[in-house]
Amino acid sequence: MIKICTSELEPYKEIEAYQIQQKKVLLGKQGAANIFIGTMRDFNEGEEVKGMTLEHYPGMTEKQLEHVVAETEAQWSLLDTLVIHRVGDVFPDDVLVLVVVWSVHRGTAFDACRFIMEALKSKVPFWKKEILSDGSRRWVDKNTDGYVELS
Amino acid sequence: MIKICTSELEPYKEIEAYQIQQKKVLLGKQGAANIFIGTMRDFNEGEEVKGMTLEHYPGMTEKQLEHVVAETEAQWSLLDTLVIHRVGDVFPDDVLVLVVVWSVHRGTAFDACRFIMEALKSKVPFWKKEILSDGSRRWVDKNTDGYVELS
Amino acid sequence: MSIKVRYFASLKELIGQAGDDCEFVSGMTVLDVWQALLPEKAMPTNVLAAINMEYVSLDSILKDEDELAFFPPVTGG
Amino acid sequence: MSIKVRYFASLKELIGQAGDDCEFVSGMTVLDVWQALLPEKAMPTNVLAAINMEYVSLDSILKDEDELAFFPPVTGG
């Protein structure tokens, strides 16, 4: 399932509710779940960040998320996926994105969850505008490559 | 934190409780969390499995889990980690293992969480004995390599 | 006989509007639409384009009534 | 003057007991202990050994009062 979320994203509530709904798909078969949760930090590129606005392109965002999930499902054998992305005004420690992949084996779950995150960050139309501590605003330029980034 | 769990492992409750406890470490800084949840399946190597007993080596299990976490923290810059493993009698759909890694950047969280799982499966003394549908019991021989396994 | 054009994020601010309409001319490309609507604005090198919510290249040819969007690199997640 | 020996999982079943004590002899190795306690049982090729809960090789030398464990490949997670 994919979902755009306009108010607080509570990842564990969302996962538990979805797992109940998807019992037929998951029960007995789910060996592995890999979950990614992306959260807003209070600093970025050396500056304190007070808040952020997440813009998206309604319609295209959903369409591209569906493409990402379809591409992932074509590449790996998965039981189910859940992708939820927050839009609108957010603040530090708000959850921005949740990706869950359920599969029989663990390698698949890790690979597919990471692939979805990277594809989401490079292809799905969302844009972040940060509010800095002095009240000024700046657009985030571009996303980094999560396969090569240094810690 | 590492923990051996002798009754039902409820992953989301554990994560939420731990996050509250670790507020000082996580708030503002947590950009990424990667979570792995391993669950008991009702089939393995072509046979229906009714239940399982997880044996461990009290003392050594904790010591080796601490080594795995220390090795991971030496290799990646992490904010925090949580590893919980179930022991004793378990049944299909019971959660067996929970690994959570919190970090600033997503690549780190994915890499470190997967590393912990692979190290846990190859080095930490736990042993699974399955109960098959005819009531017979068999020891699981060895774990697969999660980096190369096919789906 | 028109193309519905939409701008997003920093590009919307740069152009000063969220969208526009462009008279449809048979055979026109994505780049032709930009040049017709914004003759004095050079297209930033990293601009992405979508027709009817699917990514396209700048030389893609439009059909009447298409929705064409221009936006900067995406930064979600 | 003894080594506390422990067996786990399938090895415990194979041997028929959870542990044993072995008289300590200066310079004795992990393999020496196995051979002293189980002279008629060939050690399975995949057996792992730990002294005081840390992995060791079969030629590691024991100290008096050490806890020595033998077990099969681990299968947790």
Side-chain angles (χ1 to χ4, degrees):
Chain A
M1 185 181 71
I2 64 142
K3 195 158 101 180
I4 302 298
C5 168
T6 54
S7 56
E8 191 186 353
L9 202 179
E10 297 184 86
Y12 309 117
K13 277 195 190 164
E14 294 281 355
I15 299 170
E16 290 191 301
Y18 188 70
Q19 284 184 136
I20 289 168
Q21 182 191 315
Q22 295 300 95
K23 268 186 179 166
K24 282 195 182 160
V25 174
L26 299 174
L27 285 192
K29 298 183 213 65
Q30 52 179 337
N34 191 247
I35 301 170
F36 180 83
I37 297 172
T39 302
M40 192 190 155
R41 290 183 284 126
D42 64 9
F43 61 96
N44 190 29
E45 298 189 11
E47 297 248 30
E48 199 184 319
V49 182
K50 284 200 310 188
M52 202 159 72
T53 302
L54 269 157
E55 185 176 333
H56 76 304
Y57 179 174
M60 179 163 178
T61 302
E62 292 84 342
K63 203 170 192 176
Q64 296 300 321
L65 279 176
E66 295 285 11
H67 287 341
V68 166
V69 170
E71 203 186 336
T72 310
E73 286 175 345
Q75 199 166 340
W76 289 279
S77 170
L78 308 178
L79 294 171
D80 210 346
T81 57
L82 174 62
V83 181
I84 307 181
H85 202 292
R86 179 79 186 270
V87 295
D89 295 330
V90 294
F91 297 95
D93 297 307
D94 280 352
V95 171
L96 307 180
V97 60
L98 167 69
V99 177
V100 190
V101 170
W102 288 272
S103 63
V104 175
H105 299 293
R106 70 189 184 283
T108 315
F110 275 111
D111 284 336
C113 185
R114 192 164 191 172
F115 179 84
I116 289 174
M117 267 310 296
E118 294 309 312
L120 183 156
K121 290 191 86 106
S122 66
K123 293 180 191 167
V124 182
F126 293 104
W127 302 274
K128 286 178 183 140
K129 190 175 195 177
E130 296 173 334
I131 308 167
L132 305 183
S133 53
D134 63 0
S136 66
R137 299 176 63 105
R138 69 174 180 197
W139 288 98
V140 175
D141 261 0
K142 59 172 192 228
N143 279 332
T144 53
D145 179 345
Y147 285 107
V148 300
E149 76 191 347
L150 298 174
S151 61
Chain B
M1 186 180 73
I2 65 141
K3 194 159 102 180
I4 303 297
C5 167
T6 54
S7 57
E8 190 187 354
L9 202 179
E10 297 183 85
Y12 309 117
K13 276 193 191 166
E14 293 282 355
I15 299 170
E16 289 191 302
Y18 188 70
Q19 285 186 135
I20 288 167
Q21 184 191 313
Q22 295 300 95
K23 268 185 179 170
K24 281 193 183 160
V25 174
L26 299 174
L27 286 192
K29 298 184 212 63
Q30 51 178 339
N34 191 246
I35 301 170
F36 180 83
I37 297 172
T39 303
M40 192 190 154
R41 289 183 284 125
D42 63 10
F43 62 96
N44 190 29
E45 297 188 12
E47 297 247 29
E48 199 183 322
V49 183
K50 283 200 311 188
M52 201 159 72
T53 302
L54 269 157
E55 185 175 333
H56 75 304
Y57 181 174
M60 179 162 177
T61 302
E62 293 84 343
K63 203 170 192 174
Q64 296 301 321
L65 278 176
E66 296 284 10
H67 287 341
V68 166
V69 170
E71 203 185 333
T72 310
E73 287 176 344
Q75 200 166 338
W76 288 280
S77 170
L78 308 178
L79 293 171
D80 209 346
T81 59
L82 174 63
V83 181
I84 306 181
H85 203 293
R86 179 79 185 271
V87 295
D89 295 330
V90 294
F91 298 95
D93 297 307
D94 279 352
V95 171
L96 307 180
V97 60
L98 167 69
V99 177
V100 190
V101 171
W102 288 271
S103 62
V104 174
H105 299 292
R106 70 189 184 283
T108 315
F110 275 111
D111 283 335
C113 185
R114 191 163 191 172
F115 179 86
I116 289 174
M117 268 310 297
E118 294 309 311
L120 183 156
K121 290 191 87 106
S122 65
K123 295 180 190 168
V124 182
F126 293 104
W127 302 275
K128 287 178 183 141
K129 189 175 197 178
E130 296 173 334
I131 308 166
L132 304 184
S133 53
D134 63 1
S136 66
R137 299 175 62 105
R138 69 174 180 197
W139 289 98
V140 175
D141 262 359
K142 60 172 193 232
N143 278 331
T144 54
D145 179 345
Y147 285 107
V148 299
E149 75 191 348
L150 298 174
S151 61
Chain C
M1 299 286 281
S2 77
I3 302 296
K4 184 182 177 192
V5 181
R6 304 182 66 174
Y7 308 115
F8 289 93
S10 58
L11 204 63
K12 177 172 60 186
E13 291 183 359
L14 181 76
I15 293 166
Q17 61 196 70
D20 209 343
D21 285 301
C22 180
E23 195 187 344
F24 175 69
V25 177
S26 180
M28 75 194 309
T29 67
V30 171
L31 191 58
D32 291 338
V33 173
W34 179 285
Q35 288 169 341
L37 294 177
L38 304 160
E40 282 159 31
K41 275 214 166 64
M43 184 186 278
T45 53
N46 58 6
V47 160
L48 299 171
I51 296 176
N52 302 329
M53 304 183 177
E54 297 290 359
Y55 284 103
V56 294
S57 59
L58 298 181
D59 58 2
S60 297
I61 291 169
L62 290 144
K63 300 187 309 298
D64 193 17
E65 305 294 329
D66 274 349
E67 173 170 306
L68 170 61
F70 292 107
F71 47 80
V74 304
T75 57
Chain D
M1 298 287 279
S2 75
I3 302 296
K4 183 182 179 193
V5 181
R6 305 183 66 175
Y7 308 116
F8 289 93
S10 57
L11 203 63
K12 176 171 63 187
E13 291 181 0
L14 182 77
I15 293 165
Q17 59 196 70
D20 208 343
D21 284 301
C22 179
E23 194 186 345
F24 176 70
V25 179
S26 182
M28 76 194 306
T29 67
V30 171
L31 191 58
D32 293 337
V33 173
W34 180 285
Q35 287 168 345
L37 293 177
L38 304 161
E40 283 160 28
K41 275 216 164 64
M43 183 185 279
T45 53
N46 58 6
V47 161
L48 300 171
I51 297 176
N52 301 330
M53 305 184 176
E54 298 289 358
Y55 285 103
V56 294
S57 59
L58 299 179
D59 60 0
S60 297
I61 292 169
L62 290 142
K63 297 185 311 299
D64 192 18
E65 306 294 330
D66 274 348
E67 173 170 307
L68 171 61
F70 292 107
F71 46 80
V74 304
T75 56

